[in-house]
Amino acid sequence: MKARALWATAPGTCAIREEVLPPRASDQALVRTLVTGISRGTERLVLAGRVPESQWPVMRAPLMGGDFPFPVKYGYSAVGIVEEGPEALAGRRVFCLHPHQDRFLAPAGMCIPIPDAVPDARAALGANMETALNILWDARPLAGERMLVIGAGVVGLLAAYLLAQIPGAEVVVTDIDPYRRAVAEALGARFAAAEDVPGERDLVIHASAAPAGLRRALELCAFEARIVEASWFGDSECPLPLGEAFHAKRLSIVSTQVGAVAPAMRGRRTHGERLALALALLADPRLDALVGPATRFADLPAALPGLLSPPAGEPAPLCPTVSYT
């Protein structure tokens, strides 16, 4: 059986390539893709060839093809229907950490059934929600804390959405893009422009992928506050002012990364269980505000650079999706 997949072939350039799928093994599922989601931050670095060589092994997606920097088949937000596979999966909609491809084989254990209450396009947020869930497990938020999310991308907004459901939590989101206000407020958080962000925050989630955002986080912390660094800077440096009040305030900066289950839940939840929980958390229709626009798979090579880096002055899409139907 033939399949078509998107490959990044050079900086800023990608193409659809045809490949032949091998015979399906008994522990695999053959999936016909319905939708894939584009993770703008990570896929922008991959398409630009900006994954540092030191991080090539860490940054490999579970089912990617090729090698960094190029050519590479990358992505991890596929929603599809199992056409052939174990009886428990056959005919079911599943989410899988697979690149942009119209049909693919994957280990059955990596194909997580999607709850009926979650439509296809929203299910493409599964990997982003899993990341946001892991951020909360690393952050260990407390009821009643004053919280701030810097960076209203998909992961930042999903983290704010989860934080806003904690009793007594005061959740503020800030971003340089004023178009993010309506989405943040729809998800239960308060939006603040850069000049209006309140200080004395007990917990700060930094997800702007900009050094200035992390420096701002340090300024806005209360005594013994925690900063959870959810951005990934690729090959860029991030200088920080760790003099000034950093030590006097006894601040903490904690890294978070979805490749490992956060220590708070490690040994109690597997990767598959974490992803299944993330998919269940997508049942809220308000999360549709994070999805779109949709691009036909055949049009993706031409459209992807603009989706990842829209022209100056245009609002950036949150989670663009790719349609295969």
Side-chain angles (χ1 to χ4, degrees), residues 62-136:
L63 298 173
M64 67 176 258
D67 294 292
F68 296 120
F70 303 104
V72 62
K73 178 173 68 173
Y74 199 84
Y76 44 78
S77 297
V79 174
I81 292 178
V82 176
E83 294 188 317
E84 299 176 17
E87 184 177 352
L89 291 176
R92 300 189 68 178
R93 290 186 311 140
V94 296
F95 181 93
C96 186
L97 300 170
H98 198 280
H100 307 286
Q101 185 166 320
D102 62 358
R103 267 187 176 83
F104 59 87
L105 290 168
M110 291 186 63
C111 298
I112 309 299
I114 297 169
D116 292 341
V118 181
D120 298 340
R122 199 189 309 152
L125 295 169
N128 298 118
M129 179 61 92
E130 184 181 20
T131 301
L133 178 61
N134 211 52
I135 288 171
L136 259 71

Side-chain angles (χ1 to χ4, degrees), residues 220-255:
L220 296 168
C221 283
F223 181 72
E224 293 190 338
R226 294 135 25 238
I227 298 172
V228 179
E229 177 50 76
S231 302
W232 189 62
F233 294 94
D235 58 2
S236 301
E237 293 188 359
C238 182
L240 296 178
L242 297 184
E244 302 180 7
F246 179 74
H247 289 284
K249 284 188 174 182
R250 298 177 52 86
L251 304 181
S252 300
I253 302 176
V254 178
S255 65

